[in-house]
Amino acid sequence: MSQMMCRILPEVELKKGSNIMVYGPTFSGKSIFVRSLFRDLTSEGYGGIYVLTRDSAESFIEWLGEYYDPEKIKIIDCVTKSMLGNARDTDSIKRETVMDLTGISAKISKFFEEFWRSGVRDVVLVFDSLSTILMYMNLQTVFRFLHILTGRVKMTGAIAFYIVEEGMHDEKTIVTLKQLFSGMIEFKEENGRKYVRFVSPFKKTEWSEIAVDENAVVVV
Amino acid sequence: MKVVTGIPVLDDMVEEIPEGKVLTYWIDPEVEGNVFAMQTLFTNLESGCKCAYFTLTLSPEVVLSEFEEFGWVVGSYENFTLVDLYSPYVGMPSTCSLNADPSNRDAVDSLVKKTIRENDLVVIPISSMIDVCGEEVAELLGEWCETAANSGSRLVFTFVSWPYPGNVKKMVANRSNAIVKVGGVHHRVILGYYYGLVKVDWKNIKSRAILFKLVRPGGVRAYIPKILVTGPYNAGKSTFVHAVSTRAISVDRLGTTVALDHGHLEYRGFSIDLFGTPGQERFDPILRMLGKEALGVILVVDSTKPETFPRAKQMLEEVAHFGLPYVVAANKQDLPDALSPEEIRKRMFLPEDVPVIPVSAIKGEGVYRVIDALLELLTGSWQVSGDEFEIPA
Ligand SMILES: Nc1nc2c(ncn2[C@@H]2O[C@H](COP(=O)(O)OP(=O)(O)OP(=O)(O)O)[C@@H](O)[C@H]2O)c(=O)[nH]1
Ligand SMILES: [Mg+2]
């Protein structure tokens, strides 16, 4: 499991089939954390599926830089299609729109199949972010969508991370979503300092302080 | 005016969608099934029917571009109407003359009815409507179906079967005169896609599953499942392929297969292609190539030759790479020194859930049991059944 993960949350072992919610306020570092984790895992040999609802595939690829390998990294871009309309799909980049949960679901499933058939058994999936979907679709609909997706993740033994913005949703939404996940990586900001911890029904770590730049998250 | 589904094989089964009828594509949430309705619409658009298409989760521009991906330029047809329930929902000006805010139930209801009265065929994404407007919208279905019956038009529903409450599913199923299930062949991942007729009330026919692929441009293409027949040298693979196939060829030299065996079989409503691989090691690349396409594997072993089991095991590992379900055919059971299937399971360390079937390929005994066992592994969801909904008598 990723070196960064080992340094930041050393006691946490993410089992295959885990669905993890990544929760915290805006700019608390959760997105960079998840992206770095994704970058680390895919460069260690994991197959990666990244669902983008806020950035285009191109900007994510730019962030990945030399780590981008279209064989290993599959992207579902839910931004470009509704803006440009004519951005073409490739084998490793599919364009969907945020409200088209069926389309997103089918594309994720297709990528799972491709990895599976080519012998890649370790897969990491990132959903960045659920909050965007929740802006357009009601909680029930998103819940049903996630029910299918988290089930598939368990079935294939992948590991999945779902980013949720703190402060954007009501209490009920968060409580409902939590039912679907096996654990949560939580971020917080206090007096200008950033912290992270892991919470699951079986485990709760202490808050540990982190520093975030645009490329990585490190322990302070 | 004759309205058809435009879907291969399906049209042979249902012949047409008669006036006033409702056909529902009942879609697995992980399968791109909307294409079925798009293909039905385009086929009839081309033959001059007045067709309308509702959108809720995609902008009109994206809908048109999705049609175009398949080569269907619907926008250029005068008999085509796009009804936009998306733009008002996201607060954008609509580019369609027919539009309504989906949160206004009455507005949606009257727009749907008007559209049904004015067209020969109307495609409505029922599940999206439920997602966006709420479950209560399912209560309107009855009146929409009535409107269709009274005005002699046809409805095509797409229903993505997310885990909705049972009564919602039942309501949609009960309103449908025909249901075509569009599903996935579930293993650990989805290995393939199929469709099949679950019910139809204007004809009396047996259901049948058809595997398909999506082709861009082109749309839904029926395809034939490929089964890989592998095993050590001289185990009886070629003999097996010939024994089960209605037609088969082998490329052999001096009694050993140097290229491929290919057999075709029509069995229980399935069209199946069997590919026998050469047993010799230098042909392993062929195996790898086929594994990317196949749906399942039959491993043939010579039950009288335990010394070949390690090689058989090695071939299984090759195949395990593709993550396909497999069965073992314990061949040459007609010979006196043949080991029993249980003995073979033990010596090969095969898990309990792997079927090991006794076979004599040369006598043709037990060979179909092998096919059955593999289909059984693959099915679960593959067989077209009405398990998800009660079909009214
Ligand atoms: N007694 C008996 N002989 C069999 C049976 N099946 C195949 N054979 C014989 O076993 C030999 C090999 O059969 P093939 O079908 O050519 O075997 P294969 O696995 O295709 O062989 P390669 O392509 O060379 O790897 C032939 O002589 C067959 O007649 C069986 O069920 N019983
Ligand atoms: Mg042969």
Side-chain angles (χ1 to χ4, degrees), chain B residues 1-7 9-25 40 43-44 47 49 120-121 152-156 177-180 197 199-205:
Chain B
M1 180 150 288
K2 189 174 173 179
V3 170
V4 295
T5 69
I7 305 295
V9 193
L10 198 56
D11 274 331
D12 303 335
M13 296 196 254
V14 303
E15 229 166 284
E16 64 168 326
I17 309 175
E19 278 186 13
K21 296 288 187 182
V22 180
L23 180 140
T24 299
Y25 290 114
T40 298
T43 308
N44 295 296
S47 62
C49 290
D120 302 311
L121 172 71
S153 79
R154 295 93 175 151
L155 296 180
V156 168
N177 301 100
I179 297 177
V180 177
L197 198 55
K199 96 171 193 187
V200 57
D201 69 3
W202 62 84
K203 288 215 93 180
N204 194 0
I205 33 181

Coordinates of all heavy atoms in Angstrom, one line a residue, chain B residues 1-7 9-25 40 43-44 47 49 120-121 152-156 177-180 197 199-205:
Chain B
M1 N -48.9 2.1 -40.3 CA -47.4 2.2 -40.3 C -46.8 1.2 -39.3 O -47.3 1.1 -38.2 CB -47.1 3.6 -39.8 CG -45.6 3.8 -39.7 SD -45.1 5.6 -40.0 CE -45.4 5.8 -41.8
K2 N -45.9 0.4 -39.8 CA -45.3 -0.6 -39.0 C -44.1 -0.1 -38.2 O -43.2 0.6 -38.7 CB -44.8 -1.8 -39.9 CG -44.4 -3.0 -39.1 CD -44.1 -4.2 -40.1 CE -43.4 -5.3 -39.3 NZ -43.1 -6.5 -40.1
V3 N -44.2 -0.3 -36.9 CA -43.1 0.1 -36.0 C -42.4 -1.1 -35.5 O -43.0 -2.1 -35.1 CB -43.6 0.9 -34.8 CG1 -42.6 1.2 -33.8 CG2 -44.2 2.3 -35.4
V4 N -41.0 -1.1 -35.6 CA -40.2 -2.3 -35.2 C -39.3 -1.9 -34.1 O -39.1 -0.7 -33.8 CB -39.5 -2.8 -36.4 CG1 -40.4 -3.4 -37.5 CG2 -38.5 -1.8 -37.0
T5 N -38.6 -2.9 -33.6 CA -37.6 -2.6 -32.5 C -36.2 -2.1 -33.2 O -35.5 -1.4 -32.5 CB -37.3 -3.8 -31.6 OG1 -36.6 -4.8 -32.3 CG2 -38.6 -4.3 -31.0
G6 N -36.0 -2.6 -34.4 CA -34.7 -2.3 -35.0 C -33.5 -3.0 -34.4 O -32.4 -2.7 -34.7
I7 N -33.8 -4.0 -33.5 CA -32.7 -4.7 -32.8 C -32.6 -6.1 -33.4 O -33.6 -6.8 -33.6 CB -33.1 -4.9 -31.3 CG1 -33.3 -3.5 -30.6 CG2 -32.0 -5.6 -30.6 CD1 -32.2 -2.6 -30.6
V9 N -32.4 -9.9 -34.2 CA -33.0 -11.1 -33.6 C -34.3 -10.7 -32.9 O -35.3 -11.5 -33.0 CB -32.1 -11.8 -32.6 CG1 -32.7 -13.2 -32.3 CG2 -30.7 -12.0 -33.2
L10 N -34.3 -9.6 -32.2 CA -35.5 -9.2 -31.5 C -36.7 -9.0 -32.4 O -37.9 -9.5 -32.2 CB -35.3 -7.9 -30.7 CG -36.2 -7.6 -29.6 CD1 -36.3 -8.7 -28.5 CD2 -35.8 -6.3 -28.9
D11 N -36.4 -8.4 -33.6 CA -37.5 -8.2 -34.5 C -38.0 -9.5 -35.1 O -39.2 -9.6 -35.4 CB -37.0 -7.3 -35.7 CG -37.2 -5.8 -35.3 OD1 -38.1 -5.5 -34.5 OD2 -36.4 -4.9 -35.7
D12 N -37.2 -10.5 -35.2 CA -37.7 -11.8 -35.7 C -38.6 -12.4 -34.6 O -39.5 -13.1 -35.0 CB -36.5 -12.8 -35.8 CG -35.5 -12.3 -36.8 OD1 -35.8 -11.4 -37.7 OD2 -34.3 -12.7 -36.7
M13 N -38.4 -12.1 -33.4 CA -39.2 -12.6 -32.3 C -40.5 -11.9 -32.2 O -41.6 -12.5 -32.1 CB -38.5 -12.6 -31.0 CG -37.2 -13.5 -30.9 SD -36.7 -13.8 -29.2 CE -35.3 -12.8 -29.1
V14 N -40.5 -10.5 -32.1 CA -41.7 -9.8 -31.8 C -42.4 -9.3 -33.1 O -43.6 -8.9 -33.0 CB -41.5 -8.6 -30.8 CG1 -40.9 -9.1 -29.5 CG2 -40.6 -7.5 -31.5
E15 N -41.7 -9.3 -34.2 CA -42.2 -8.9 -35.5 C -42.4 -7.4 -35.6 O -41.9 -6.7 -36.5 CB -43.5 -9.6 -35.8 CG -43.5 -10.2 -37.2 CD -44.7 -11.1 -37.3 OE1 -44.6 -12.3 -36.8 OE2 -45.7 -10.8 -38.0
E16 N -43.2 -6.8 -34.6 CA -43.4 -5.4 -34.7 C -43.9 -4.9 -33.3 O -44.2 -5.7 -32.4 CB -44.5 -5.0 -35.7 CG -45.8 -5.6 -35.4 CD -47.0 -5.0 -36.2 OE1 -46.9 -3.8 -36.5 OE2 -47.9 -5.7 -36.5
I17 N -43.9 -3.6 -33.1 CA -44.5 -3.1 -31.9 C -45.9 -2.6 -32.3 O -46.0 -1.6 -33.0 CB -43.7 -1.9 -31.2 CG1 -42.3 -2.3 -31.0 CG2 -44.3 -1.5 -29.9 CD1 -41.4 -1.2 -30.6
P18 N -47.0 -3.3 -32.0 CA -48.3 -2.9 -32.5 C -48.7 -1.6 -31.8 O -48.2 -1.2 -30.8 CB -49.2 -4.1 -32.0 CG -48.3 -5.2 -31.6 CD -47.0 -4.6 -31.2
E19 N -49.7 -1.0 -32.5 CA -50.3 0.2 -32.0 C -50.7 0.1 -30.5 O -51.3 -0.9 -30.1 CB -51.5 0.6 -32.8 CG -51.1 1.3 -34.1 CD -52.4 1.8 -34.9 OE1 -53.5 1.8 -34.3 OE2 -52.2 2.1 -36.0
G20 N -50.5 1.2 -29.8 CA -51.0 1.2 -28.4 C -50.2 0.4 -27.4 O -50.5 0.3 -26.2
K21 N -49.1 -0.2 -27.9 CA -48.3 -1.1 -27.0 C -47.1 -0.4 -26.3 O -46.6 0.6 -26.9 CB -47.8 -2.3 -27.7 CG -48.9 -3.2 -28.2 CD -49.6 -4.0 -27.1 CE -50.6 -5.0 -27.6 NZ -51.3 -5.7 -26.6
V22 N -46.7 -0.9 -25.2 CA -45.6 -0.4 -24.5 C -44.5 -1.4 -24.4 O -44.7 -2.5 -23.9 CB -46.0 0.0 -23.0 CG1 -44.8 0.6 -22.3 CG2 -47.1 1.0 -23.0
L23 N -43.3 -1.0 -24.9 CA -42.2 -2.0 -24.8 C -41.1 -1.3 -23.9 O -40.8 -0.1 -24.1 CB -41.5 -2.2 -26.2 CG -40.3 -3.1 -26.3 CD1 -40.4 -4.1 -27.5 CD2 -39.0 -2.4 -26.3
T24 N -40.7 -2.1 -22.9 CA -39.7 -1.5 -22.0 C -38.4 -2.2 -22.1 O -38.3 -3.5 -22.1 CB -40.2 -1.7 -20.5 OG1 -41.4 -1.0 -20.4 CG2 -39.2 -1.2 -19.5
Y25 N -37.3 -1.5 -22.2 CA -36.0 -2.0 -22.1 C -35.6 -1.9 -20.7 O -35.5 -0.8 -20.1 CB -35.0 -1.2 -23.0 CG -35.2 -1.4 -24.5 CD1 -35.6 -0.4 -25.3 CD2 -35.0 -2.7 -25.0 CE1 -35.8 -0.6 -26.6 CE2 -35.2 -2.9 -26.4 CZ -35.6 -1.8 -27.2 OH -35.8 -2.0 -28.5
T40 N -34.0 1.8 -31.7 CA -35.4 1.6 -32.0 C -36.0 2.9 -32.6 O -36.6 2.9 -33.7 CB -36.3 1.2 -30.8 OG1 -35.8 0.0 -30.3 CG2 -37.7 1.1 -31.1
T43 N -34.4 3.6 -36.2 CA -34.9 2.7 -37.2 C -36.2 3.1 -37.7 O -36.5 3.1 -39.0 CB -35.0 1.2 -36.6 OG1 -33.7 0.9 -36.0 CG2 -35.3 0.2 -37.7
N44 N -37.1 3.6 -36.8 CA -38.4 4.0 -37.2 C -38.5 5.4 -37.8 O -39.3 5.7 -38.7 CB -39.4 3.8 -36.1 CG -39.6 2.4 -35.7 OD1 -40.1 1.6 -36.4 ND2 -39.1 2.0 -34.5
S47 N -37.8 5.1 -41.4 CA -38.9 4.6 -42.2 C -40.1 5.5 -42.2 O -41.1 5.2 -42.7 CB -39.3 3.2 -41.8 OG -39.7 3.2 -40.5
C49 N -41.6 7.2 -39.6 CA -42.5 7.4 -38.4 C -42.2 8.7 -37.7 O -41.1 9.2 -37.7 CB -42.3 6.3 -37.4 SG -42.9 4.7 -37.9
D120 N -45.9 8.7 -33.5 CA -46.2 7.3 -33.7 C -45.4 6.5 -32.6 O -45.8 5.4 -32.2 CB -45.7 6.8 -35.0 CG -46.4 7.6 -36.2 OD1 -47.6 7.7 -36.1 OD2 -45.7 8.1 -37.1
L121 N -44.3 7.1 -32.2 CA -43.4 6.4 -31.2 C -42.8 7.4 -30.3 O -42.2 8.4 -30.7 CB -42.3 5.6 -32.0 CG -41.2 5.0 -31.2 CD1 -41.8 3.8 -30.5 CD2 -40.0 4.6 -32.1
G152 N -53.3 5.4 -30.7 CA -52.6 4.4 -31.6 C -51.1 4.6 -31.7 O -50.6 4.3 -32.7
S153 N -50.5 5.3 -30.8 CA -49.0 5.4 -30.9 C -48.4 4.3 -30.0 O -49.1 3.5 -29.3 CB -48.6 6.8 -30.5 OG -48.6 6.9 -29.1
R154 N -47.1 4.2 -30.0 CA -46.4 3.2 -29.2 C -45.4 3.9 -28.2 O -44.9 5.0 -28.6 CB -45.5 2.3 -30.0 CG -46.2 1.4 -31.0 CD -46.3 2.1 -32.3 NE -46.9 1.2 -33.3 CZ -47.6 1.7 -34.4 NH1 -47.8 3.0 -34.5 NH2 -48.0 0.9 -35.3
L155 N -45.2 3.3 -27.1 CA -44.3 3.8 -26.1 C -43.1 2.9 -26.0 O -43.3 1.7 -25.9 CB -44.9 4.0 -24.7 CG -46.1 5.0 -24.6 CD1 -46.6 5.0 -23.2 CD2 -45.6 6.4 -25.1
V156 N -41.9 3.5 -25.9 CA -40.7 2.7 -25.5 C -40.2 3.3 -24.3 O -39.9 4.5 -24.2 CB -39.7 2.7 -26.6 CG1 -38.3 2.1 -26.1 CG2 -40.1 1.9 -27.8
N177 N -46.2 -4.0 -22.1 CA -46.7 -5.1 -22.8 C -45.6 -6.1 -23.2 O -45.8 -7.2 -23.4 CB -47.4 -4.6 -24.1 CG -48.6 -3.7 -23.8 OD1 -48.5 -2.5 -23.8 ND2 -49.7 -4.3 -23.3
A178 N -44.4 -5.5 -23.4 CA -43.2 -6.3 -23.6 C -42.1 -5.8 -22.8 O -41.9 -4.6 -22.6 CB -42.9 -6.3 -25.1
I179 N -41.3 -6.7 -22.3 CA -40.1 -6.3 -21.6 C -38.9 -7.0 -22.2 O -38.8 -8.2 -22.4 CB -40.1 -6.7 -20.1 CG1 -41.3 -6.0 -19.4 CG2 -38.8 -6.4 -19.4 CD1 -41.5 -6.4 -18.0
V180 N -37.9 -6.2 -22.6 CA -36.6 -6.7 -23.1 C -35.6 -6.4 -22.0 O -35.3 -5.3 -21.7 CB -36.2 -6.1 -24.4 CG1 -34.9 -6.6 -24.9 CG2 -37.3 -6.3 -25.5
L197 N -35.9 -11.3 -24.5 CA -37.3 -11.0 -24.3 C -37.8 -11.7 -23.0 O -37.7 -12.9 -22.9 CB -38.0 -11.5 -25.5 CG -39.4 -11.0 -25.8 CD1 -39.4 -9.4 -25.9 CD2 -39.9 -11.6 -27.1
K199 N -40.9 -10.8 -21.6 CA -42.4 -11.0 -21.8 C -42.8 -10.2 -23.0 O -42.2 -9.2 -23.4 CB -43.1 -10.5 -20.5 CG -43.7 -9.1 -20.5 CD -44.6 -8.9 -19.3 CE -45.4 -7.6 -19.5 NZ -46.2 -7.2 -18.3
V200 N -43.9 -10.7 -23.6 CA -44.5 -10.0 -24.7 C -45.9 -10.5 -24.8 O -46.2 -11.7 -24.7 CB -43.7 -10.2 -26.0 CG1 -43.6 -11.7 -26.4 CG2 -44.4 -9.4 -27.2
D201 N -46.9 -9.6 -24.8 CA -48.3 -10.1 -24.7 C -49.0 -10.1 -26.1 O -50.2 -10.4 -26.2 CB -49.1 -9.3 -23.7 CG -49.3 -7.8 -24.2 OD1 -48.9 -7.5 -25.3 OD2 -49.9 -7.0 -23.4
W202 N -48.2 -9.9 -27.2 CA -48.9 -9.9 -28.5 C -48.4 -11.1 -29.3 O -48.8 -11.3 -30.5 CB -48.8 -8.6 -29.2 CG -47.4 -8.2 -29.6 CD1 -46.7 -8.6 -30.7 CD2 -46.6 -7.2 -28.9 NE1 -45.5 -7.9 -30.7 CE2 -45.4 -7.1 -29.6 CE3 -46.8 -6.4 -27.8 CZ2 -44.4 -6.2 -29.2 CZ3 -45.8 -5.6 -27.4 CH2 -44.6 -5.5 -28.1
K203 N -47.5 -11.9 -28.7 CA -47.0 -13.1 -29.5 C -46.8 -14.2 -28.4 O -46.6 -13.9 -27.2 CB -45.7 -12.8 -30.2 CG -45.9 -11.9 -31.4 CD -44.9 -12.3 -32.5 CE -45.5 -13.2 -33.5 NZ -44.6 -13.6 -34.5
N204 N -46.7 -15.4 -28.9 CA -46.4 -16.5 -28.0 C -45.0 -17.0 -28.4 O -44.9 -17.8 -29.3 CB -47.5 -17.5 -28.1 CG -47.4 -18.5 -27.0 OD1 -46.5 -18.4 -26.1 ND2 -48.3 -19.5 -27.0
I205 N -44.0 -16.6 -27.7 CA -42.7 -17.1 -28.0 C -41.8 -17.4 -26.8 O -42.0 -16.9 -25.7 CB -41.9 -16.1 -28.9 CG1 -42.2 -14.7 -28.4 CG2 -42.0 -16.3 -30.3 CD1 -41.5 -13.6 -29.2

